[in-house]
Amino acid sequence: MDFIINATLKAVKHLYNTDIAAGEVNLQETRKEFEGQVTIVTFPFTKFSKKSPEQTGNEIGTLLQKELKEVTGFNVIKGFLNISLADNYWKSRLYNEILPDGFAVFKPNGKKVMVEYSSPNTNKPLHLGHVRNNLLGFSVAEILAAAGYEVVKTNLVNDRGIHICKSMLAWQKFGNGETPESSGLKGDHLVGKYYVIFDKEYKKQIEDLKADGQTEDDAKKNAPLIKEAQEMLQKWEAGDLEVMSLWEKMNSWVYAGFAETYKRLGVSFDKFYYESNTYLLGKDIIEEGLAKGVFYRKDDNSVWIDLTSEGLDEKLVLRSDGTSVYMTQDMGTAQLKHNDFHIDKSIYVVGNEQDYHFKVLFTILKKLGKDGADGLFHLSYGMVDLPSGKMKSREGTVVDADDLMDEMELTAKEQTEAMGKVEGFSEDEKLHLYHTIGMGALKYFLLKVDPKKRLLFDPNESVDFQGHTGPFIQYTHARIRSVLSRAGVAGISKAHDYAALAAEERDLIVSLTQFPEIIQLAAEGYSPAVVANYIYELAKIYNKFYHEKSILQAEDEAAKQFRLLLSEASGKVINKAMGLLGIEVPERM
RNA sequence: GGUCCCAUAGCUCAGCUGGAUAGAGCAACAGAUUUCUAAUCUGUAGGUCAUAGGUUCGAAUCCUAUUGGGAUCACCA
């Protein structure tokens, strides 16, 4: 649409002898109720045209129509100049831009970006909150790659710490040697079971101590179980062989379980970092910061940074005993990532409960003048809440990721069978279809909302398969593929002789041309929701077209060929756009 | 208490850097299939964009205050 902007600049110069920047031309899609496809908002021009918005619009419109062969007409309503573009213009965009292979493919921009996501604890299985994180991270990585970035997907696994010792200790005390093999439980679920058992036993002990007259706080500190867990952590840090081997054994169970869940979710990583390797990092940065005067040391030997001038607090960056805190290791890990990959941008997909932490972390790294500090971004997403409130692993009030996927696939199966749509499918094809549809519904449900917003999930209300949903879009794709396969591979040729465009056809082309901008917009905003909402609009427009216009029984051969091409283009864009969300589209459903 | 985020139809959400009469889906109601897949399409109904001020030719969008909800402020991660 640059040619319209440029012509508008010229028109403004010619008519009103005023130079304006391209950004001052407010171009938007014309609303459905008006004639035309693009609209220029002319209110701002009245400042220098010294004329009414209507008159200004008419003058510019007249000139544009005279100068541009693509402009076939215009109308003015208040400060809105609605422009109609020639059918040939839209057809040529379909033929020359959308249908060729390079459509919506961005050239590499030479920048490298890291997306860290998932980053689970190894003491319990993944739940719905993790699912949102994983889908977001994976999709954002796909979108950035589509926008021309080189992308490195990383997973920083929190594999050490007191919470893991809790699971280990409970297993040691109450597990009787239970293994995934002996119990048939998935490894991460088995370990999570003992995390819950620990909490239950711990609470019992607290109650007992309180009955003996201790305060709640004292009881929490003095309960034998928590003391044992802390001892275990110390042994771990000291490299105690027995503890290490238990730790390795239980972690390996968890990793096997996670691998299964990741595979089913369709997410993947290029690089894993483990906190057991990174938790000691960052101490050299402390020295560096002290030397630069960014940090200061208190009398008790602890190291701090004063961020009160930035509206933040004083923050501890190293304990008085010289050990690392969360902030210390995150500084170190940021450095490590940069050394390993020389990245231009680094995205952290982490929930918004850690907004403050990342604000502080990024401020510190900037103050230290670290390379890449300007490219840090916290993709802060809202928590997933249940009607009953927040999910809590310890209390078992979570929607488990594996259970949820089971349910989605089951629902997909029931719906599909009820509609009798699996004739001629093999058993494998059926299973694959149920997976595709079930996951499509779940992924779309989670990705269509703005990442920043918190999400309410009611386990009692099943995820929809109709309307603004993944299956709706998948269905649209299946319809398209069905028509194309009926037409036959050799059935499509270019139909330059197809004359006038129907409104439904033009709307579809207009929507298709927007895809590259959508990728750009989604990449800039790190928002899969932008893509999700776009595909929905596109699918709706296609369905309308499909309903109004006969394709295989078109009025003549030219119309048929043209509509087949339009369908092919729509199918491709839907497929690619859904791919950016990590959602598969079926050939039949 | 300090700081940050959020508030749009009964429910779930769109609404891009300010632009037309605020849009979808679900739920409700009424219709469309001898014709390419009805997981579709068409229509009806549903709104004081939390409230009050301000900036502007123009505010759901920007600013201020208030109300309500959430998060965070550990020598936890």
Side-chain angles (χ1 to χ4, degrees), chain A residues 17-86:
Chain A
N17 197 28
T18 304
D19 288 300
I20 57 172
E24 289 177 75
V25 180
N26 188 343
L27 212 65
Q28 53 189 248
E29 204 183 336
T30 305
R31 287 179 157 238
K32 284 182 211 68
E33 57 264 44
F34 304 106
E35 184 85 12
Q37 295 91 49
V38 269
T39 295
I40 299 172
V41 184
T42 56
F43 283 111
F45 301 164
T46 57
K47 261 183 257 143
F48 45 77
S49 75
K50 311 282 188 214
K51 289 171 184 162
S52 70
E54 289 85 353
Q55 210 177 339
T56 309
N58 273 310
E59 288 178 352
I60 295 174
T62 305
L63 202 53
L64 289 181
Q65 186 168 5
K66 204 175 104 194
E67 294 296 319
L68 298 173
K69 63 179 188 316
E70 295 89 348
V71 175
T72 55
F74 69 92
N75 64 86
V76 175
I77 293 157
K78 290 190 264 184
F80 300 92
L81 169 58
N82 302 320
I83 296 168
S84 298
L85 295 167

Side-chain angles (χ1 to χ4, degrees), chain A residues 74-252:
Chain A
F74 69 92
N75 64 86
V76 175
I77 293 157
K78 290 190 264 184
F80 300 92
L81 169 58
N82 302 320
I83 296 168
S84 298
L85 295 167
D87 288 348
N88 274 333
Y89 168 76
W90 292 113
K91 278 191 273 185
S92 90
R93 289 198 71 175
L94 174 66
Y95 292 136
N96 302 327
E97 182 181 335
I98 300 170
L99 281 166
D101 278 343
F103 180 58
V105 175
F106 287 75
K107 284 197 218 79
N109 64 13
K111 297 243 169 78
K112 200 187 267 192
V113 58
M114 177 176 282
V115 181
E116 181 201 301
Y117 71 100
S118 198
S119 302
N121 291 341
T122 59
N123 63 329
K124 54 179 192 288
L126 305 177
H127 60 62
L128 179 54
H130 299 112
V131 174
R132 186 178 199 192
N133 180 303
N134 278 280
L135 298 180
L136 259 180
F138 180 81
S139 176
V140 164
E142 290 294 305
I143 288 167
L144 289 170
Y149 287 92
E150 184 183 345
V151 178
V152 184
K153 291 176 287 186
T154 57
N155 188 346
L156 173 58
V157 183
N158 187 354
D159 60 345
R160 50 145 251 126
I162 189 76
H163 44 283
I164 282 111
C165 291
K166 287 178 182 175
S167 292
M168 286 159 62
L169 187 68
W171 182 83
Q172 220 173 31
K173 283 186 167 319
F174 311 107
N176 299 315
E178 188 178 31
T179 67
E181 291 74 29
S182 74
S183 63
L185 268 178
K186 200 160 158 278
D188 48 339
H189 288 262
L190 177 67
V191 173
K193 173 178 152 189
Y194 287 97
Y195 187 65
V196 173
I197 290 175
F198 176 93
D199 198 60
K200 217 165 68 187
E201 297 296 325
Y202 177 41
K203 281 197 173 129
K204 264 191 228 164
Q205 292 186 349
I206 293 172
E207 288 311 311
D208 290 349
L209 292 175
K210 274 161 76 178
D212 289 346
Q214 293 202 18
T215 65
E216 170 114 24
D217 283 353
D218 285 345
K220 279 184 180 164
K221 276 181 216 150
N222 295 331
L225 268 177
I226 195 72
K227 290 197 156 176
E228 280 185 77
Q230 281 158 354
E231 278 164 32
M232 191 179 250
L233 181 61
Q234 277 167 12
K235 282 186 182 171
W236 183 90
E237 292 198 2
D240 179 280
L241 283 180
E242 199 186 329
V243 171
M244 291 299 276
S245 102
L246 175 60
W247 174 73
E248 276 165 14
K249 176 163 71 183
M250 290 182 71
N251 268 348
S252 74

